[in-house]
Amino acid sequence: MDALVHLHVIVVMEIILGNKKDTQCLEDTCGESIGLLMTYRCNLKCKYCYIHAKQNKDMSLEMAQHILEPFLMKYGDFVEITFMGGETLLAIDIIKPLVEWAEQGKWNRKFRFIGTTNGTLLTPELKIWLRQHRKSLTMGLSFDGVPAAQKNNRGNDDIDLDFFIQTWPFQPLQMTINTETVHQMAEGVIYLLEKGALVHPNVAYEQQEWSDEDIREYGNQLNKLIYYYQKHPEKPKIIQFEHNLMEYAHNIDSPPTQKETCGAGHGFQVFDVDGKSYPCHILSPLVLKGETLEKITGGLVERTTNYSDNRCTNCPYISSCPTCMASNFLYRNELNKRDETHCKIMKLEVKAFIKKEVLRLKQKAKLSREDAIQIYAMKKIWEFEHK
């Protein structure tokens, strides 16, 4: 799952599960979602970043208000507003008055702001402001596991993790994994879990496919985490160990069609600093230039109805296997052409999850009906993989 999509899901969970005093609206589900590209600037040079040429472009407060006002005045369900970049907090001088303006307005619908940050720009004064406005604004931190991996990937490990964990306890830290840090994946997940954080590890979408050696190492890291969870079953599960095996078993006989994994261009839009709308931040001038951008502005995403990759036609994991149509287009010039790295990783994750389930079932003195269903699904998947 793309990191921003996962952020959206967790924000809804936070609204549903959180303390009523600390959330703005509990009853509402997200009826509409938009993004504001607040700044093109960033103070870091992350190794897996898809923005290769940083620019000094920022959205003005007046433009942001002009974009938001019609959405807030509409009658409808809860609206989610995502701050994007660049590094979001480089636009804090615009974000502060914008959030306060929205909080003070009399609108026809409820709202919530969300955003991601590298966490390097916090000051004591900003921490106070963020705590005061956490009912309206959730900030998700990107932090790549152990400090050494964070420093390798991003160049800065001087981050106040506790501030994010305590201020937004339902918001997972976004932990990106690449080939240089895959050998530290398990250590990083455990490090963050032990600090009391929720963790969302995700493999970076990159142009270069992973080697077989790196793929095997990813599997080794999953095995380490299996045994960690055996000793610590109370710890929150990372997404790699959340699989619906019955769904996959069903898909073997009835292969599903590829569904959209995000709403880019179909229900979700990102507004650039000049107010123009694009399907998402990657499919915008922040990243694309020239002919590739012209294809997007020419309506390529809106015209696309089939997101299937022909190589995945009979894969039972297609209903959950992560993909990013923007990254597909950026690196392979086709919205539906997946990278093979994530396909191989998905299979490893299912295999590891089954191993974890087998170990769990072995420890039970008596199996339940649900356990029997799970065993049936595992058997069917094993037969599919070994036919």
Side-chain angles (χ1 to χ4, degrees):
M1 186 182 297
D2 178 84
L4 277 172
V5 175
H6 189 77
L7 178 60
H8 298 166
V9 172
I10 294 301
V11 166
V12 173
M13 288 174 59
E14 182 177 353
I15 291 168
I16 294 172
L17 299 174
N19 187 306
K20 289 188 177 182
K21 294 180 181 178
D22 290 335
T23 55
Q24 183 170 17
C25 49
L26 296 170
E27 303 85 9
D28 303 282
T29 56
C30 183
E32 194 165 18
S33 182
I34 63 170
L36 299 180
L37 198 45
M38 299 304 298
T39 180
Y40 280 37
R41 295 178 293 139
C42 187
N43 60 320
L44 298 183
K45 294 182 179 180
C46 302
K47 292 187 175 180
Y48 40 70
C49 185
Y50 41 77
I51 306 171
H52 300 301
K54 303 293 192 298
Q55 302 176 60
N56 290 321
K57 296 173 68 175
D58 299 273
M59 182 176 289
S60 68
L61 176 60
E62 294 74 20
M63 176 61 72
Q65 292 171 330
H66 174 74
I67 294 168
L68 284 189
E69 188 167 11
F71 287 96
L72 295 171
M73 290 303 298
K74 286 170 60 177
Y75 287 94
D77 294 330
F78 178 77
V79 61
E80 183 181 85
I81 305 150
T82 304
F83 292 132
M84 294 179 165
E87 165 49 37
T88 302
L89 292 184
L90 281 171
I92 194 62
D93 289 343
I94 303 301
I95 289 173
K96 278 185 178 181
L98 181 65
V99 169
E100 293 171 0
W101 167 80
E103 290 173 337
Q104 296 162 8
K106 295 183 179 180
W107 313 112
N108 294 323
R109 67 200 302 192
K110 296 178 180 179
F111 64 89
R112 189 171 182 88
F113 292 97
I114 65 174
T116 57
T117 177
N118 59 40
T120 61
L121 301 176
L122 292 183
T123 62
E125 295 76 19
L126 179 54
K127 290 178 184 179
I128 292 171
W129 185 89
L130 288 170
R131 287 195 189 99
Q132 290 173 340
H133 296 272
R134 63 179 179 178
K135 294 181 182 179
S136 302
L137 172 62
T138 294
M139 291 301 299
L141 173 67
S142 297
F143 192 89
D144 291 347
V146 292
Q150 165 76 7
K151 193 164 186 177
N152 179 79
N153 285 346
R154 297 173 177 270
N156 188 323
D157 64 342
D158 185 20
I159 313 295
D160 187 350
L161 291 174
D162 291 336
F163 170 79
F164 289 92
I165 295 169
Q166 294 166 7
T167 307
W168 298 284
F170 290 99
Q171 176 57 47
L173 304 186
Q174 301 293 320
M175 175 181 159
T176 303
I177 305 158
N178 64 355
T179 56
E180 294 185 25
T181 58
V182 63
H183 65 286
Q184 297 171 301
M185 173 186 167
E187 183 186 3
V189 170
I190 294 169
Y191 171 77
L192 296 175
L193 288 176
E194 291 293 327
K195 289 186 72 68
L198 298 178
V199 188
H200 175 56
N202 59 283
V203 173
Y205 289 101
E206 299 177 280
Q207 187 168 13
Q208 188 68 37
E209 300 284 0
W210 282 24
S211 68
D212 290 343
E213 181 181 355
D214 291 327
I215 295 289
R216 283 193 298 271
E217 181 56 38
Y218 187 84
N220 293 335
Q221 296 297 308
L222 290 175
N223 279 327
K224 291 180 181 180
L225 288 168
I226 288 173
Y227 293 110
Y228 173 78
Y229 278 121
Q230 269 198 304
K231 294 180 180 179
H232 304 278
E234 78 285 356
K235 294 296 184 182
K237 301 298 183 293
I238 58 175
I239 196 170
Q240 282 81 351
F241 293 114
E242 297 287 350
H243 288 277
N244 187 335
L245 298 184
M246 274 305 299
E247 177 181 296
Y248 302 156
H250 172 75
N251 292 346
I252 290 171
D253 296 325
S254 303
T257 56
Q258 173 64 64
K259 298 177 181 178
E260 293 180 70
T261 57
C262 70
H266 299 276
F268 178 72
Q269 55 184 322
V270 169
F271 292 91
D272 198 4
V273 295
D274 59 3
K276 292 182 181 179
S277 174
Y278 296 89
C280 76
H281 59 303
I282 296 179
L283 300 177
S284 80
L286 174 69
V287 178
L288 301 181
K289 303 290 183 291
E291 293 182 2
T292 54
L293 182 60
E294 289 175 6
K295 289 182 180 180
I296 299 302
T297 56
L300 175 63
V301 174
E302 291 77 7
R303 293 193 305 271
T304 301
T305 57
N306 182 6
Y307 291 87
S308 300
D309 187 320
N310 291 334
R311 298 171 297 174
C312 307
T313 301
N314 295 314
C315 179
Y317 316 128
I318 192 67
S319 55
S320 298
C321 188
T323 188
C324 172
M325 69 175 183
S327 296
N328 293 343
F329 181 76
L330 176 64
Y331 296 131
R332 289 170 291 282
N333 206 35
E334 294 182 32
L335 295 171
N336 61 349
K337 193 168 184 181
R338 293 164 167 259
D339 61 299
E340 293 184 10
T341 294
H342 280 79
C343 295
K344 294 174 182 177
I345 280 174
M346 181 67 178
K347 292 180 179 180
L348 282 178
E349 289 179 5
V350 173
K351 182 179 179 181
F353 180 73
I354 289 175
K355 180 178 179 179
K356 180 176 173 296
E357 283 295 278
V358 169
L359 292 173
R360 178 184 69 84
L361 292 169
K362 282 184 175 181
Q363 294 176 342
K364 297 191 69 172
K366 184 178 180 181
L367 299 180
S368 66
R369 181 177 181 275
E370 290 73 22
D371 293 333
I373 292 173
Q374 192 80 327
I375 291 169
Y376 165 80
M378 290 190 288
K379 180 175 181 294
K380 188 151 189 170
I381 293 170
W382 186 90
E383 290 172 347
F384 172 82
E385 291 289 356
H386 294 84
K387 65 180 181 181

